[in-house]
Amino acid sequence: MRRRQGVSLAWLYLATFVLGIGLWWLYAALGDNELAPAPPEVIESFREGLRDGWLLEHTAASLQRVVAGFLLGVALAIPAGFLMGWYRWARGMVEPWVQFFRTVPPLALIPLVIVFLGIGETAKIFVIFLAAFLSCVIATFQGVRNVDVTFVNAARVLGANDATIFARVIVPASMPYIFVGMRVALGSSWATLVASELLAAPTGLGRMMQSAQQFLQTERIVVGIIMIGALGFAMDRLLLVLERRLTSWQEVR
């Protein structure tokens, strides 16, 4: 039964992909916008980028920034979320700042980031880090807060101390929330990439798309969008695989 469901879902993925490409091609062929690139033009631009090397160069630069910012954000968000959920004093000290900065778009922070960190790689990674951190810390905090109190009380009755309860009850029960937060953080990291590469980036997919916009090279813009979407999708699938391995005990539909 599981295998048939997997095949069915794969066919749905394929069908919606073909439908999307078909509608795009139809719009490019019949629309009045001469700048709208058709799929063959985008494919040719993609081949040119691979042949000349500029696409791999931009992709590698962006991937490095996203991975660094995402990993740093998650590495700090998970312990911060646990502290906020487990200790009242930590929640009182951290939550107001988290909620405040969650409402501020990363793009609005760029002028201050330039002032304090300059326009180097540190500034670009920091903007991505902030987006990933704010997305993941709330999910982790909510995971700790939603742990069934019955499990905690049962562990105490059996003689478990705080450290054992935290390691054997709180952490496993919070894992599904943490992975949801990580997936949202990953999306936020890629969404913030273009904004981070406004900081005088010499390379990167965001920089490539900005340059293509100036010269009306719309096919390159589409290539950049496709690369960002494909890389983000692939990384999200990897997180799903890791989640299934670490939360195999969880019942899902």
Side-chain angles (χ1 to χ4, degrees):
M1 177 64 70
R2 288 184 180 178
R3 185 176 180 181
R4 273 187 284 178
Q5 287 179 347
V7 172
S8 175
L9 188 60
W11 278 110
L12 285 174
Y13 283 168
L14 181 61
T16 190
F17 176 76
V18 172
L19 177 62
I21 296 296
L23 291 175
W24 167 25
W25 204 329
L26 186 65
Y27 173 78
L30 302 179
D32 296 331
N33 191 348
E34 297 179 356
L35 294 177
E41 298 173 34
V42 174
I43 293 173
E44 180 57 34
S45 180
F46 184 81
R47 288 175 178 171
E48 178 190 340
L50 292 179
R51 184 179 64 248
D52 297 341
W54 51 262
L55 181 57
L56 293 178
E57 181 184 7
H58 290 304
T59 301
S62 291
L63 189 59
Q64 269 187 320
R65 292 171 187 138
V66 168
V67 170
F70 169 73
L71 291 179
L72 287 172
V74 168
L76 186 59
I78 292 176
F82 277 131
L83 286 174
M84 288 169 59
W86 191 250
Y87 296 108
R88 193 176 184 85
W89 61 265
R91 179 182 178 185
M93 292 179 64
V94 179
E95 188 177 21
W97 292 104
V98 170
Q99 297 297 345
F100 174 81
F101 280 105
R102 280 182 65 231
T103 61
V104 180
L107 191 62
L109 297 174
I110 285 180
L112 277 179
V113 171
I114 292 175
V115 170
F116 288 105
L117 299 177
I119 58 174
E121 285 298 305
T122 302
K124 300 174 185 61
I125 292 174
F126 176 79
V127 175
I128 298 173
F129 152 79
L130 189 62
F133 172 80
L134 294 174
S135 299
C136 190
V137 69
I138 292 298
T140 304
F141 163 69
Q142 200 62 43
V144 177
R145 295 282 294 175
N146 283 359
V147 174
D148 194 334
V149 179
T150 304
F151 297 151
V152 178
N153 292 335
R156 292 193 188 280
V157 169
L158 294 173
N161 55 27
D162 283 350
T164 303
I165 293 173
F166 185 80
R168 302 294 296 273
V169 178
I170 302 299
V171 172
S174 303
M175 289 302 291
Y177 290 87
I178 292 174
F179 275 102
V180 169
M182 290 174 68
R183 294 180 66 192
V184 174
L186 181 62
S188 299
S189 299
W190 280 108
T192 312
L193 172 69
V194 176
S196 72
E197 291 179 344
L198 289 173
L199 301 177
T203 56
L205 292 171
R207 177 61 179 170
M208 180 192 78
M209 294 164 66
Q210 293 165 32
S211 300
Q213 179 186 11
Q214 295 174 356
F215 296 100
L216 300 180
Q217 296 172 322
T218 51
E219 66 280 356
R220 286 200 180 191
I221 297 176
V222 176
V223 168
I225 293 172
I226 292 173
M227 289 301 298
I228 290 174
L231 289 171
F233 182 81
M235 293 173 70
D236 182 76
R237 297 302 97 176
L238 288 175
L239 284 178
L240 277 178
V241 171
L242 184 60
E243 179 184 7
R244 291 192 189 101
R245 290 182 177 274
L246 294 180
T247 61
S248 57
W249 49 268
Q250 185 186 22
E251 294 184 2
V252 294
R253 291 180 60 189

